[in-house]
């Protein structure tokens, strides 16, 4: 019953945020409950307080992912559509018809995307992030670009906000480089940034690197390498390595630069470069004898275990290319074996084994000595490895078939490691969530479902429109008309009302001088979209007189028109029912038209559907209106929405007009219910 | 959502805790202290720390960690943004937000927190509404309260909260009605060694102080609104008007607020008003290094540059510096290795400079990198982007307000690499 309460209260604007929060707590997976409120929520979104906005947007994102088909393959399908449209070849036409229907975005989907756009301008970082993730997850790829500007703006804010935003940008920049490329310079590192911010920025810079900008980036990286923050310098070296592997043109330049870094005085820098060089060399096993020799020399000075291990591995791997040095290195290592780190010991064993196989004359004794040392080591990993290697390479009577292949086993071609972004695997989490930040599934995280293959019935949301539209038509005039007529008159009225609204607007504009108050009111009404305030309620007493007149005039006009066009309606009926059914797609009007022409069956089908619906609504009508009017006294809100509901059909400018009108109608209804 | 809030000072003491749902033991903060230890610097403490049963989201401001404890999935920015809002509110109430001030006003702090979060969900975060609910402390009120035993919790519900303009309270009255707007622009720039600009961008804000009676409806228009590339508004600004006419139309909150923050489009070249000449060199052999900086004006449109401060984080090897400035004062902290030079005004005839030597640790090798120089400055009466406010009109009220607009350009994150 809690759920029922929640659903009842969701109508009010002022508490919408809190209600959705409650919804998320109580029954986050009851997505079916949202259907009827979806459009209202979309329209209210701008006026809800900011904390509510965040929660609502997150909920609507999940909702949209379950209810609409994916807009992401739009490109190909639009082409199909174009072909269909232009080429009159019958064969072609049939063929394309047989294929998937061209993608047209569900008007409700469009509504959500459009209504959230202004919120990108919010001062609240959480709201901006929420909208950004909404765009990322549900809008067509071509439109997601607008979020990058706002996200970059957030980078000016406190370090904590920066941290979260940068993380999200990092994930986005892996998948769609282009989005953030124009803002490359915004991610340049400042010496005063905290280390975590620096590394995140570096990550993004790496993701954005391409042939065009790599030279500037490398120059920038050079300054970073010299940074006093050694942790950051090390991260930069890693980054250079990644750039080198990703962009083949600069691999050599990077490698040279890294080799230069080997003579750096700071040990961490050197160690890091060794590790990176190792990875790079592994990727292109060309003639790099010089570098390997250089690194072998470094063994005397470097103490960082990872770097030592890397050098040893590299020498072992290339022991045939540096036949003179390798045994010498092994000799040195044998001397210091006991004092080495475990990691290094393992690599010494490896090196010994490899040399034993390739150059057994020189190194046989040395290797055996090392194996003996390893046998009594404290670490069981090393003892284990020793035993394994001994069995494998030292021929004895018990050795199995494997030892024949020892050389193949040890000196097999090893695949080069892929230097990948640590943010690669984060994309399965919804952006902007805690789970995404931590890269762990947090308690209570709700998976974002995949797009459905087939869109669920969009009419579940439509129901609301019809019901509400009825209460919206003032004084139950529509009751007398038959339902088909109602459909018609409604859409007619909409158009009409938009006309008259523009009339009244210009009127109020001109009159504003004389009646400062009312002009003023009209002004504010236009902008504060569909809000039914207590304040304006009180004013509606005064204002409704004037507005009542207007609406009355309009209604009579509409009625007259619909009467006079009654005759025409017969043949237009099919068309109107069609258009009122999906009440929207003015954008894709042409496509739907062509569709309806080519597919008469579907058209008739849709007509049938609407007829059924009409019937249903007819039956429902009487109890419903009662119910609603009861509710209305509590909150005047629902009345205001239906006007805006069909708006997707109208162009933005028209919509603005309509919204301006909105209040006048709602106030008239209010006054009706008062009297 | 937010279960508890802990306030931790820089020495690691929890000096205030507040629980909204159930009491979470203080021991949860141990995870935080662990992370703090690992991070060495306060700035590097990760904002999000997972623990086995909770998640700790923290914000570091005014040398205080505000640590929120949450249990389930919630957008992290939601919590972080809220914590920042809490800090802003404290600042608004008490002037400064510091440990002693919070301790002095513990009652008010608890009252405010109680109002801001309801069962873990943000409730009243607008300072206008909060102030109506809980009166900010003044000396007079504390005296009265101690005598009469009353509290400073407002008697009635705030009127504004349930209206269309939740940010403004009703029944505001002033004898002189005034509205001031400050256009403040900040230049973020990185200048490289040779003096060429690597990145530069202008970010601006318009801060307003509006003290007007009743429910005024203001419109503010710009001479050149095209300059504004990316904007974010206070919720009071009507977005549609801006979209269509590029006019800011709004019913202002009472008192101080940030009306707008904007970003000037990147196409416009940014005029950098100052230059820095530097000559910093370390020698390999000796333990002395040379240090010389000169600051000069460049493209200032005839305005003087004031409030110049130069700060620089010197390398660890530097033991001490003996410097002589041509004007202003300088300090060098041998512990943090932070050099700061308070220059003041720049006189174009006689450029300020700072010269001298650095003594390095004996035997230590010379540092790889020269220190970066951070610059702060102010230019009054100039918006560097060229943004100009055209006019301000008021509707809805009869009186004539006093209007004032001030421009200022500041250095944001202005760095010179050397």
């Amino acid at each position: 019953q809690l759920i029922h309460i929640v659903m009842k209260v969701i109508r009010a604007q002022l508490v919408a945020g809190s209600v959705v929060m409650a919804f998320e707590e109580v029954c986050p997976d009851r997505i079916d409950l949202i259907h009827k409120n979806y459009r209202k929520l979309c329209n209210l979104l701008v006026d809800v307080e900011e904390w509510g906005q965040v929660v609502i947007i997150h909920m609507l994102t999940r909702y949209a992912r379950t209810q609409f088909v994916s807009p992401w393959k739009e490109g190909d399908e639009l082409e199909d559509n174009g072909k269909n449209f232009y080429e009159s070849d019958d064969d072609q036409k049939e063929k394309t018809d047989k294929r998937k229907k061209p993608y047209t975005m569900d008007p409700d989907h469009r509504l959500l995307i459009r209504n959230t756009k202004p919120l990108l301008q919010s001062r609240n970082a959480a709201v901006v992030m929420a909208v950004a993730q909404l765009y990322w997850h549900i809008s067509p790829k071509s439109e997601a670009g607008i979020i990058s500007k706002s996200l970059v703006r957030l980078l000016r804010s406190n370090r904590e906000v920066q941290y979260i935003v940068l993380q999200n940008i990092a994930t986005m920049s892996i998948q769609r480089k282009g989005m953030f490329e124009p803002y490359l310079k915004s991610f340049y590192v400042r010496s005063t940034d905290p280390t975590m911010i620096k590394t995140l920025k570096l990550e993004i810079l790496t993701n954005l690197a391409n042939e065009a900008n790599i030279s500037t980036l490398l120059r920038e990286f050079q300054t970073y390498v010299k940074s006093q923050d050694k942790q950051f310098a090390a991260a930069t070296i890693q980054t250079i390595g990644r750039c080198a592997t990703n962009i083949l043109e600069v691999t050599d330049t990077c490698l040279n630069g890294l080799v230069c870094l080997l003579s750096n005085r700071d040990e961490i820098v050197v160690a890091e470069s060794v590790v990176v060089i190792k990875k790079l060399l592994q990727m292109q096993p060309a003639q790099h004898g010089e570098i390997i020799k250089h690194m072998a020399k470094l063994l005397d000075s470097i103490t960082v275990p990872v770097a030592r291990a890397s050098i040893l591995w590299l020498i072992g791997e290339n022991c045939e290319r540096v036949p003179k040095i390798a045994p010498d290195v092994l000799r040195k290592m044998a001397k210091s074996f006991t004092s080495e780190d475990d990691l290094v010991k393992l690599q010494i064993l490896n090196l010994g084994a490899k040399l034993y196989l390739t150059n057994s004359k020189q190194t046989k004794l040395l290797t055996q000595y090392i194996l003996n040392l390893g046998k009594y080591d404290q670490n069981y990993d090393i003892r284990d490895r020793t035993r394994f290697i001994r069995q494998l390479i030292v021929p004895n009577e018990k050795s199995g078939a494997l030892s024949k292949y020892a050389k193949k086993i040890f000196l097999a071609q090893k695949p080069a490691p892929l230097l990948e972004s640590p943010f690669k695997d984060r994309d399965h989490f919804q952006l902007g969530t805690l789970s995404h930040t931590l890269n762990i599934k947090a308690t209570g995280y709700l998976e974002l479902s995949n797009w459905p293959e087939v869109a669920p019935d969009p009419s579940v949301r439509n129901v609301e429109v019809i019901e509400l539209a009825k209460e919206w038509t003032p004084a139950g005039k529509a009751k007398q008309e038959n339902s088909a007529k109602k459909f018609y008159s409604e859409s007619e009225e909409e158009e009409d009302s938009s006309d008259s609204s523009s009339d009244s607007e210009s009127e109020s504009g001109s009159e504003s001088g004389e009646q400062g108050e009312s002009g003023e009111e009209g002004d504010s009404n236009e902008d504060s979209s569909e809000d039914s305030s207590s304040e304006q309620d009180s004013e509606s007493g005064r204002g409704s007189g004037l507005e009542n007149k207007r609406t009355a005039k309009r209604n009579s006009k509409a009625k007259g028109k619909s009467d006079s066009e009654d005759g025409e309606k017969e043949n237009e009926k099919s068309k109107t029912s069609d258009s009122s059914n999906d009440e929207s797609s003015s954008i894709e009007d042409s496509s739907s038209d062509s569709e309806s022409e080519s597919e008469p069956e579907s058209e008739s089908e849709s007509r049938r559907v609407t007829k059924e619906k009409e019937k249903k609504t007819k039956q429902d009508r009487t109890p419903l209106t009662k119910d609603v009017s009861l509710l209305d006294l509590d909150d005047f809100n629902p009345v205001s929405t239906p006007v805006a509901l069909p708006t997707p059909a109208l162009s933005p400018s028209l919509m603005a007009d309509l919204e301006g009108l909105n209040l006048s109608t709602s106030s008239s209804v209010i006054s009706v219910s008062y009297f | 959502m937010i279960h508890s809030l802990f306030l931790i000072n820089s020495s690691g003491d929890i000096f205030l805790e507040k629980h909204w749902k159930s009491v979470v033991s203080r021991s949860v903060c141990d995870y935080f202290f662990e992370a703090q230890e690992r991070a060495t610097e306060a700035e590097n403490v990760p904002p999000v720390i997972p623990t086995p049963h909770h998640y700790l989201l923290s914000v570091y401001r005014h040398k205080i960690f505000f640590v929120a404890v949450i249990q389930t999935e919630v957008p992290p920015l939601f919590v972080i943004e809220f914590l920042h809002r809490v800090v802003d509110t404290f600042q608004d109430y008490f002037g400064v937000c510091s440990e002693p001030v919070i301790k002095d006003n513990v009652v008010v702090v608890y009252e405010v927190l109680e109002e801001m979060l309801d069962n873990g969900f943000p409730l009243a975060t607008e300072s206008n509404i909060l102030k109506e609910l809980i009166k900010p402390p003044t000396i007079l009120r504390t005296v009265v309260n101690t005598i009469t035993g009353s509290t400073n919790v407002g008697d009635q519900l705030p009127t504004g909260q349930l209206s269309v303009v939740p940010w403004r309270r009703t029944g505001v009255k002033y004898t002189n009605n005034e509205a001031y707007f400050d256009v403040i622009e900040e230049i973020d720039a990185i200048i490289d060694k040779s003096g060429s600009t690597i990145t530069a961008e202008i970010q601006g804000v318009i801060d307003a102080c509006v003290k007007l009676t009743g429910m005024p409806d203001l419109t503010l228009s710009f001479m050149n609104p095209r300059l504004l590339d990316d904007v974010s508004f206070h919720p009071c600004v009507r977005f549609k008007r801006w979209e269509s006419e590029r006019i800011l139309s709004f019913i202002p909150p009472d008192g101080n607020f940030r009306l707008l923050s904007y970003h000037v489009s990147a196409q416009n070249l940014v005029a950098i008003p100052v230059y820095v000449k530097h000559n910093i060199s370390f020698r390999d052999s000796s333990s002395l290094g040379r240090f010389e900086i000169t600051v000069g004006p460049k493209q200032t449109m005839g305005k003087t540059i004031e409030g110049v401060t130069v700060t620089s984080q010197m390398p660890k090897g530097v033991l001490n510096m003996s410097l002589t400035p041509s004007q202003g004062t300088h300090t060098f902290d041998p512990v943090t290795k932070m050099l700061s030079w308070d220059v003041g005004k720049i006189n174009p005839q006689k450029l300020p400079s700072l010269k001298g030597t650095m003594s390095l640790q004996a035997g230590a090798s010379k540092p790889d990198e020269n220190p970066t120089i951070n610059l702060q400055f102010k230019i009054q009466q100039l918006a560097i982007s060229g943004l100009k406010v055209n006019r301000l009109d008021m509707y809805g009220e009869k009186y004539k307000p006093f209007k004032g607009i001030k421009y200022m350009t500041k250095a944001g994150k202005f760095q010179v690499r050397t």
Side-chain angles (χ1 to χ4, degrees):
Chain A
Q1 63 277 48
L2 247 179
I3 297 171
H4 286 301
I5 296 169
V6 166
M7 281 357 270
K8 250 181 208 164
V9 194
I10 210 165
R11 294 160 163 273
Q13 168 206 346
L14 285 168
V15 293
S18 321
V19 170
V20 175
M21 282 183 204
F23 173 83
E24 293 274 273
E25 286 277 284
V26 178
C27 48
D29 41 2
R30 289 289 303 277
I31 233 138
D32 54 309
L33 293 174
I34 308 169
H35 291 319
K36 294 197 171 183
N37 298 293
Y38 172 78
R39 290 181 190 166
K40 189 181 306 149
L41 282 175
C42 284
N43 285 314
L44 281 182
L45 203 50
V46 188
D47 296 319
V48 177
E49 40 92 36
E50 35 192 21
W51 308 110
Q53 285 171 349
V54 179
V55 183
I56 295 177
I57 292 171
H58 273 273
M59 185 200 66
L60 289 179
T61 312
R62 275 192 297 118
Y63 178 82
R65 279 296 273 261
T66 55
Q67 298 302 315
F68 306 124
V69 280
S70 167
W72 285 350
K73 284 190 184 108
E74 209 183 20
D76 328 329
E77 250 136 80
L78 266 183
E79 255 177 33
D80 275 0
N81 199 5
K83 226 185 248 166
N84 190 3
F85 196 73
Y86 290 118
E87 290 181 31
S88 53
D89 238 339
D90 283 1
D91 297 351
Q92 193 99 38
K93 210 172 191 176
E94 264 170 64
K95 215 166 73 188
T96 41
D97 277 346
K98 267 176 202 164
R99 271 205 235 155
K100 258 191 289 174
K101 264 202 220 163
Y103 173 78
T104 50
M105 191 185 264
D106 189 296
D108 290 329
H109 193 173
R110 170 60 55 206
L111 176 75
L112 174 60
I113 291 174
R114 205 188 38 228
N115 276 354
T116 46
K117 192 179 167 194
L119 294 181
L120 278 176
Q121 247 73 35
S122 171
R123 63 169 174 172
N124 189 323
V127 177
V128 177
M129 191 65 232
V131 179
Q133 65 85 21
L134 178 122
Y135 266 78
W136 177 259
H137 287 296
I138 71 167
S139 81
K141 289 208 159 107
S142 52
E143 286 172 42
I146 59 163
I147 62 174
S148 41
K149 197 193 274 177
S150 307
L151 286 181
V152 170
R153 187 188 67 227
L154 293 186
L155 295 184
R156 279 274 301 171
S157 136
N158 310 65
R159 100 191 150 100
E160 294 86 8
V161 177
Q162 276 187 46
Y163 175 73
I164 306 284
V165 172
L166 282 172
Q167 268 190 336
N168 285 299
I169 292 180
T171 309
M172 288 191 226
S173 61
I174 291 174
Q175 284 182 40
R176 300 180 208 166
K177 276 188 179 186
M179 260 173 75
F180 290 98
E181 242 182 74
Y183 304 98
L184 185 74
K185 289 195 170 173
S186 306
F187 301 111
Y188 278 8
V189 176
R190 291 163 199 282
S191 62
T192 42
D193 290 333
T195 311
M196 55 181 181
I197 303 284
K198 283 183 188 165
T199 30
L200 275 172
K201 280 186 174 174
L202 206 58
E203 171 65 35
I204 295 168
L205 287 177
T206 326
N207 291 336
L208 295 180
N210 59 20
E211 284 84 354
N213 57 25
I214 187 67
S215 54
T216 27
L217 271 183
L218 280 180
R219 214 172 306 133
E220 185 71 16
F221 288 156
Q222 271 170 21
T223 21
Y224 298 166
V225 168
K226 285 190 250 158
S227 160
Q228 288 172 30
D229 185 346
K230 289 306 164 203
Q231 205 186 334
F232 171 59
T236 310
I237 294 167
Q238 291 274 7
T239 303
I240 296 175
R242 262 178 61 201
C243 287
T245 51
N246 293 339
I247 301 160
L248 293 173
E249 283 98 76
V250 292
T251 311
D252 284 333
T253 337
C254 289
L255 202 56
N256 288 338
L258 288 171
V259 171
C260 291
L261 284 178
L262 288 179
S263 50
N264 196 298
R265 238 174 296 104
D266 190 86
E267 189 161 65
I268 304 168
V269 173
V270 179
E272 201 65 45
S273 358
V274 167
V275 176
V276 173
I277 289 176
K278 177 209 127 193
K279 287 181 183 160
L280 283 184
L281 289 187
Q282 204 182 342
M283 243 165 280
Q284 30 164 229
Q287 266 61 286
H288 287 299
E290 277 306 309
I291 296 175
I292 294 170
K293 272 179 206 158
H294 184 85
M295 286 167 80
K297 275 181 212 150
L298 280 174
L299 258 187
D300 297 335
S301 52
I302 293 184
T303 54
V304 181
V306 192
R308 286 175 81 84
S310 295
I311 297 177
L312 289 175
W313 185 88
L314 204 59
I315 293 173
E317 205 54 16
N318 296 298
C319 55
E320 283 170 89
R321 292 208 192 86
V322 283
K324 280 188 188 141
I325 296 172
D328 198 45
V329 170
L330 188 66
R331 182 184 58 81
K332 275 189 200 160
M333 286 296 117
K335 258 202 290 191
S336 59
F337 185 85
T338 44
S339 54
E340 296 287 354
D341 191 271
D342 291 343
L343 200 63
V344 186
K345 281 178 184 170
L346 287 177
Q347 286 309 323
I348 296 175
L349 287 171
N350 271 351
L351 174 66
K354 282 171 191 164
L355 281 175
Y356 186 92
L357 293 171
T358 54
N359 188 0
S360 66
K361 204 167 65 187
Q362 269 185 308
T363 58
K364 191 172 178 187
L365 282 174
L366 259 177
T367 309
Q368 249 154 19
Y369 171 66
I370 290 169
L371 287 176
N372 280 334
L373 281 178
K375 195 174 171 185
Y376 300 106
D377 199 90
Q378 284 189 324
N379 187 306
Y380 50 77
D381 268 344
I382 293 168
R383 293 200 299 274
D384 208 33
R385 178 75 64 92
T386 315
R387 208 172 304 130
F388 164 72
I389 287 175
R390 192 190 288 275
Q391 289 302 319
L392 205 55
I393 59 171
V394 182
N396 56 4
E397 68 278 6
K398 268 192 278 178
S399 66
L402 266 180
S403 57
K404 267 183 261 169
Y405 303 105
K407 190 167 182 179
K408 267 191 190 158
I409 291 172
F410 273 106
L411 292 170
Q413 273 293 334
K414 286 153 188 107
L418 274 174
L419 298 180
E420 267 183 347
S421 161
F423 282 81
K424 193 98 188 161
D425 53 342
R426 289 206 181 185
D427 48 7
H428 57 273
F429 287 117
Q430 188 178 357
L431 286 181
T433 58
L434 188 64
S435 309
H436 174 267
T437 307
L438 295 169
N439 204 9
I440 323 167
K441 205 171 161 201
T443 18
Y445 175 74
L446 296 162
E447 291 278 348
L448 206 57
S449 61
N450 283 324
W451 296 103
E453 290 286 311
V454 185
D457 187 13
S459 61
V460 281
R461 292 182 294 277
N462 276 350
V463 174
E464 184 84 349
V465 184
I466 297 158
E467 284 168 6
L468 282 171
K470 215 178 309 130
E471 43 167 307
W472 167 67
T473 11
K477 197 184 293 166
K479 271 186 185 174
Q480 280 106 42
E481 297 169 359
N482 70 35
S483 53
K485 200 178 186 177
K486 210 206 97 216
F487 257 118
Y488 189 61
S489 67
E490 189 194 315
S491 60
E492 193 63 43
E493 201 165 281
E494 257 162 50
E495 275 170 35
D496 211 307
S497 65
S498 64
D499 281 351
S500 74
S501 81
S502 64
D503 279 353
S504 68
E505 201 184 271
S506 63
E507 235 174 68
S508 70
S510 63
E511 280 170 9
S512 65
E514 300 152 44
Q515 353 169 293
E517 283 246 305
S518 73
E520 181 60 51
E521 220 175 279
D523 249 22
S524 65
N525 287 351
E526 267 163 46
D527 293 294
S528 54
S529 55
E530 76 258 347
D531 38 13
S532 62
S533 62
S534 57
E535 193 206 28
Q536 263 146 350
D537 285 345
S538 66
E539 275 178 48
S540 71
R542 273 178 291 150
S544 64
L546 191 124
E547 263 139 20
N548 244 348
K549 235 186 278 167
R550 261 185 222 158
T551 30
K553 207 165 62 188
R554 194 184 60 239
N555 286 336
S556 63
K557 223 201 264 173
K559 204 181 172 189
K561 221 174 192 175
S562 65
D563 279 344
S564 67
E565 281 169 9
D566 225 341
E568 275 181 333
K569 203 175 60 195
E570 281 294 311
N571 35 359
E572 271 181 22
K573 192 174 162 191
S574 63
K575 228 178 193 173
T576 42
S577 73
D578 201 313
S579 69
S580 61
N581 190 24
D582 57 52
E583 273 182 339
S584 54
S585 51
S586 76
I587 314 148
E588 288 95 10
D589 221 352
S590 58
S591 71
S592 71
D593 263 0
S594 69
E595 202 184 295
S596 66
E597 269 162 29
S598 61
E599 298 175 333
E601 286 145 327
S602 74
E603 194 200 15
S604 65
E605 210 174 79
S606 72
R607 205 190 304 165
R608 219 185 311 132
V609 169
T610 42
K611 262 186 185 161
E612 270 166 26
K613 215 182 292 159
E614 284 154 17
K615 234 181 259 168
K616 204 172 68 190
T617 51
K618 225 180 186 174
Q619 288 163 355
D620 285 347
R621 191 180 301 148
T622 28
L624 250 175
T625 34
K626 256 183 217 163
D627 205 34
V628 158
S629 65
L630 267 177
L631 266 174
D632 274 356
L633 288 175
D634 294 327
D635 47 80
F636 303 104
N637 211 37
V639 210
S640 62
T641 21
V643 190
L645 283 179
T647 44
L650 310 166
S651 64
S653 65
L654 253 175
M655 197 187 71
D657 288 347
L658 249 186
E659 262 162 3
L661 185 80
N662 223 350
L663 253 175
S664 66
T665 51
S666 73
S667 62
S668 77
V669 171
I670 289 159
S671 62
V672 163
S673 59
Y674 265 129
F675 295 146
Chain B
M1 284 194 173
I2 298 172
H3 271 244
S4 311
L5 176 72
F6 293 99
L7 266 58
I8 299 173
N9 64 13
S10 44
S11 56
D13 298 325
I14 304 171
F15 66 93
L16 192 117
E17 56 183 300
K18 165 92 185 121
H19 304 279
W20 279 276
K21 283 188 171 167
S22 52
V23 175
V24 178
S25 153
R26 272 182 180 222
S27 58
V28 80
C29 288
D30 292 347
Y31 294 99
F32 179 80
F33 295 134
E34 226 171 81
Q36 198 182 3
E37 230 164 82
R38 230 176 298 132
T40 59
E41 270 174 68
E43 276 209 318
N44 280 331
V45 179
V48 184
I49 301 166
T51 74
H53 300 292
H54 301 91
Y55 303 96
L56 306 177
L57 274 73
S58 64
V59 157
Y60 181 64
R61 275 178 75 179
H62 306 289
K63 302 220 161 66
I64 302 172
F65 283 103
F66 293 76
V67 184
V69 182
I70 57 169
Q71 258 179 342
T72 50
E73 167 70 49
V74 61
L77 271 183
F78 185 94
V79 180
I80 286 169
E81 184 76 22
F82 175 78
L83 291 178
H84 280 302
R85 205 59 73 77
V86 170
V87 183
D88 292 341
T89 313
F90 285 170
Q91 227 171 343
D92 199 33
Y93 263 76
F94 313 127
V96 280
C97 177
S98 65
E99 193 187 343
V101 168
I102 290 177
K103 279 180 174 166
D104 285 349
N105 297 292
V106 133
V107 176
V108 181
V109 165
Y110 271 109
E111 283 168 353
V112 168
L113 286 177
E114 189 62 44
E115 285 305 325
M116 288 185 84
L117 267 193
D118 176 30
N119 197 29
F121 296 100
L123 185 65
T125 48
E126 284 292 339
S127 87
N128 260 298
I129 288 176
L130 274 174
K131 279 192 176 161
E132 217 170 320
L133 278 168
I134 299 150
K135 309 268 182 347
T138 56
I139 294 172
L140 180 68
R141 192 166 295 129
T142 15
V143 173
V144 171
N145 284 352
T146 37
I147 295 169
T148 59
S150 60
T151 58
N152 41 2
V153 178
D155 298 331
Q156 61 240 29
L157 274 175
T159 41
Q161 195 167 18
L162 299 173
S163 74
V164 241
V165 277
W167 52 84
R168 189 175 178 90
R169 59 200 169 100
T170 48
V172 188
K173 273 213 177 74
Y174 289 102
T175 39
N176 5 332
N177 292 296
E178 34 191 28
Y180 298 106
F181 294 88
D182 293 356
V183 180
I184 301 167
E185 297 198 332
E186 296 194 352
I187 306 177
D188 289 356
I190 303 177
I191 312 284
D192 82 350
K193 224 176 195 154
S194 56
S196 54
T197 314
I198 296 179
T199 69
E201 46 186 20
I202 300 172
Q203 311 271 355
V205 293
I206 299 182
D207 282 339
C209 175
V210 177
K211 293 182 173 168
L212 297 174
T213 309
M215 271 283 172
D217 195 327
L218 303 177
T219 49
L220 185 79
S221 61
F222 296 104
M223 302 272 263
N224 37 10
R226 250 159 229 276
L227 272 177
L228 307 183
D229 180 37
D230 184 38
V231 281
S232 77
F233 300 119
H234 189 275
C236 69
V237 176
R238 295 181 183 112
F239 187 70
K240 295 221 171 71
R241 279 295 282 286
W242 172 257
E243 283 279 272
S244 54
E245 304 166 59
R246 298 268 145 183
I247 284 175
L248 294 176
S249 152
F250 55 97
I251 296 172
D254 186 39
N256 294 312
F257 66 102
R258 173 156 297 177
L259 178 65
L260 163 82
S261 49
Y262 60 90
H263 180 114
V264 174
S265 54
Q267 284 86 355
N268 299 30
L269 276 180
V270 178
I272 304 288
V274 287
Y275 71 87
V276 178
K277 249 200 240 160
H278 50 82
N279 182 6
I280 303 171
S281 61
F282 302 98
R283 258 161 294 164
D284 249 333
S285 50
S286 79
S287 61
L288 281 182
R290 273 218 331 233
F291 187 93
E292 191 180 337
I293 308 182
T294 314
V295 186
K298 187 171 111 182
Q299 295 172 302
T300 59
M301 336 247 172
K303 304 280 197 300
T304 45
I305 303 175
E306 302 168 2
V308 181
T309 1
V310 176
T311 51
S312 180
Q313 172 77 52
M314 302 309 280
K316 291 213 170 59
V318 177
L319 282 183
N320 211 342
M321 308 180 81
S322 60
L323 303 167
T324 43
S326 70
Q327 78 178 74
T329 52
H330 82 282
T331 51
F332 176 71
D333 185 347
V335 182
T336 56
K337 314 284 180 202
M338 187 63 88
L339 169 77
S340 67
W341 175 30
D342 193 355
V343 185
K345 248 183 219 170
I346 294 184
N347 179 3
Q349 270 76 50
K350 192 170 155 290
L351 297 178
S353 66
L354 182 69
K355 276 185 218 173
T357 55
M358 301 174 278
S359 54
L360 297 166
Q361 213 163 7
S365 51
K366 75 167 193 154
D368 309 320
E369 191 199 29
N370 284 339
T372 24
I373 297 167
N374 295 306
L375 213 60
Q376 288 296 325
F377 57 82
K378 258 191 270 185
I379 306 171
Q380 302 281 0
Q381 299 307 320
L382 171 75
I384 197 85
S385 67
L387 186 78
K388 275 229 153 59
V389 171
N390 188 18
R391 56 180 297 146
L392 176 75
D393 298 308
M394 188 180 73
Y395 304 96
E397 297 288 336
K398 304 241 156 38
Y399 55 85
K400 243 191 146 31
F402 181 79
K403 299 174 271 191
I405 287 181
K406 201 169 84 182
Y407 296 94
M408 182 153 73
T409 298
K410 285 203 291 192
K413 295 171 179 167
F414 198 100
Q415 296 200 335
V416 182
R417 291 177 179 163
T418 58

